[in-house]
């Protein structure tokens, strides 16, 4: 076999792939990009930008850099995380980590000066694209959280501007050509792509835990890592939107059931998910999945709709345990961060949308010019 060029995929050797980004409020869209990038090679390295770099080019992130590093490490397709990665991807970075090429979604990311952050690797032919997951973005999720605050967290005269908030929330029309909101349409194929292939072995100790796992965050990651240490095969039961709304109230959950399914499935500590799991852990569920241990965190849990303890059965069987994740973060903590900094996030998103719109307009203009040149060449050749 002939020796392959460094930028080409050689099935007989390791092909290291580079991705980078902010990875703020990591969601299944980020995970899906990592999944696609991993499949383009054999070893995926993800660079995560620092708080200072993000603030300079986009505005303040929701999560700290340490939280974002941990979230990206928990994505099951990621092999290595590089902290404080440069905002503009350079050939020197690819060489330092021996990466054949860089992968990014089919949108444009720009610096504070409006420069394409991937222009160097694109010019060198060491850039590949993956398809962006429609229907979810950090901008969209921030908008959803701001809408939740309207009648529950702030007096009416202290609320975010409704027009700006709605522009960032889930809607039918996108403001940004790439990261504006659009309806997420779940498919069985997407769930299969995110699922693990393996089933529990007869000798595996199966551990079950359940909850909302809304806005999947670093607190969930720390908890699930501890759950994984309790056995060999982790099954997460995800409650339906109706059930979550009963015990969470307000407009919760922020993410719908199918979005939460993909977010949890992308975590390296999870082997299987029960979609729309019953709030009470039943004997039928325990027997069906051959569960050896049922785990819950230290947070207080509500009684079921009939007033009974949802863990009555596993308690009676002596297989119930509560563990401390060591991380007190909750979904409400994230919402509070957004509320407390809402003006900064609205300003950030307006700035981001304006830069994306300008970059998109320039891209479309260049595309049209290239098309005109190509047409002119064809006409001259025919003449």
């Amino acid at each position: 076999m002939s020796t392959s060029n460094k930028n080409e995929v050689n099935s007989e050797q390791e092909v290291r792939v580079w991705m980078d980004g902010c990875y703020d409020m990591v969601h299944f869209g980020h995970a899906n990009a990592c999944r696609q990038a991993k499949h383009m090679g054999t070893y995926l390295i993800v660079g995560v930008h620092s708080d200072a770099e993000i603030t300079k080019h986009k505005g303040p992130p929701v999560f700290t850099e340490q939280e974002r590093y941990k979230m990206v490490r928990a994505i099951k397709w990621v092999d290595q995380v590089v902290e404080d990665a440069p905002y503009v991807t350079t050939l020197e970075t690819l060489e330092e980590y021996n990466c054949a090429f860089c992968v990014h979604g089919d949108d444009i990311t720009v610096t504070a000066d409006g420069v394409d952050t991937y222009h160097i690797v694109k010019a060198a032919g060491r850039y590949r694209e993956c398809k962006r997951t429609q229907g979810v973005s950090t901008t969209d999720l921030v908008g959803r959280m701001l809408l939740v605050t309207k009648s529950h967290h702030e007096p009416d005269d202290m609320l975010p501007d409704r027009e700006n908030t709605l522009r960032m929330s889930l809607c039918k029309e996108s403001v940004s050509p790439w990261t504006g909101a659009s309806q997420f349409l779940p498919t069985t194929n997407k769930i299969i792509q995110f699922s693990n292939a393996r089933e529990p072995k007869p000798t595996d100790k199966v551990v079950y835990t359940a909850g909302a796992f809304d806005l999947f965050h670093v607190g969930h990651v720390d908890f699930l890592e501890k759950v994984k240490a309790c056995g060999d095969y982790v099954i997460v039961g995800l409650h339906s939107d109706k059930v979550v709304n009963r015990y969470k109230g307000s407009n919760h959950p922020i993410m719908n059931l199918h979005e939460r399914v993909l977010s949890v499935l992308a975590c390296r500590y999870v082997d299987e998910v029960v979609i729309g799991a019953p709030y009470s852990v039943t004997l039928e569920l325990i027997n069906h999945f051959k569960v050896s241990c049922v785990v819950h965190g230290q947070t207080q849990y509500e009684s079921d709709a009939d007033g009974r303890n949802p863990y009555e059965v596993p308690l009676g069987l002596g297989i119930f345990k509560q563990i401390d994740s060591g991380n007190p973060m909750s979904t409400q903590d994230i919402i509070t961060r957004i509320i407390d900094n809402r003006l900064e996030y609205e300003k950030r998103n307006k700035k981001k949308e304006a830069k994306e719109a300008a970059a998109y307009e320039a891209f479309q203009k260049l595309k049209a010019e290239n098309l005109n040149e190509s047409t002119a060449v064809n006409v001259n050749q025919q003449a």
Side-chain angles (χ1 to χ4, degrees), residues 30-76:
H30 294 121
N32 191 39
C34 290
R35 180 189 66 81
Q36 294 178 72
K38 178 64 178 284
H39 289 168
M40 295 182 191
T42 59
Y43 189 89
L44 177 61
I45 301 176
V46 178
V48 182
H49 308 316
S50 68
D51 293 345
E53 280 285 271
I54 296 173
T55 301
K56 174 184 176 182
H57 294 284
K58 292 179 65 175
V62 177
F63 285 94
T64 68
E65 56 195 40
Q66 293 302 323
E67 290 168 337
R68 292 183 289 108
Y69 298 153
K70 182 176 285 187
M71 284 297 293
V72 175
R73 286 191 177 97
I75 298 174
K76 64 186 179 183

Side-chain angles (χ1 to χ4, degrees), residues 206-210 233 235-238 274 277-278 281 285 291 293-295:
V206 178
V207 184
Y208 179 80
T209 189
Y233 193 92
I235 300 177
V236 176
L238 286 172
V274 178
V281 182
L285 184 148
V291 175
C293 181
V294 176
V295 178

Side-chain angles (χ1 to χ4, degrees), residues 14-159:
E14 180 181 72
V15 177
R16 296 162 73 89
V17 179
W18 174 271
M19 285 194 82
D20 55 36
C22 301
Y23 300 97
D24 195 20
M25 290 185 63
V26 172
H27 49 68
F28 63 89
H30 294 121
N32 191 39
C34 290
R35 180 189 66 81
Q36 294 178 72
K38 178 64 178 284
H39 289 168
M40 295 182 191
T42 59
Y43 189 89
L44 177 61
I45 301 176
V46 178
V48 182
H49 308 316
S50 68
D51 293 345
E53 280 285 271
I54 296 173
T55 301
K56 174 184 176 182
H57 294 284
K58 292 179 65 175
V62 177
F63 285 94
T64 68
E65 56 195 40
Q66 293 302 323
E67 290 168 337
R68 292 183 289 108
Y69 298 153
K70 182 176 285 187
M71 284 297 293
V72 175
R73 286 191 177 97
I75 298 174
K76 64 186 179 183
W77 296 287
V78 176
D79 296 298
Q80 180 181 342
V81 168
V82 174
E83 300 180 359
D84 192 16
Y87 205 78
V88 175
T89 309
T90 64
L91 296 178
E92 287 76 14
T93 298
L94 297 189
E95 293 300 330
E96 180 179 355
Y97 294 96
N98 195 29
C99 292
F101 51 85
C102 169
V103 176
H104 185 66
D106 51 0
D107 57 320
I108 290 182
T109 304
V110 295
T111 66
D113 300 324
V115 177
D116 183 353
T117 58
Y118 297 102
H119 72 281
I120 297 173
V121 290
K122 285 179 178 179
R126 296 177 67 175
Y127 174 85
R128 295 188 185 180
E129 284 188 352
C130 61
K131 293 184 64 177
R132 184 180 168 272
T133 304
Q134 296 296 321
V136 64
S137 69
T138 301
T139 304
D140 174 33
L141 294 178
V142 167
R144 295 191 206 183
M145 282 181 276
L146 288 173
L147 285 176
V148 168
T149 70
K150 285 194 169 295
S151 58
H152 301 281
H153 297 280
E154 295 281 351
D156 287 345
D157 59 346
M158 293 294 290
L159 293 177

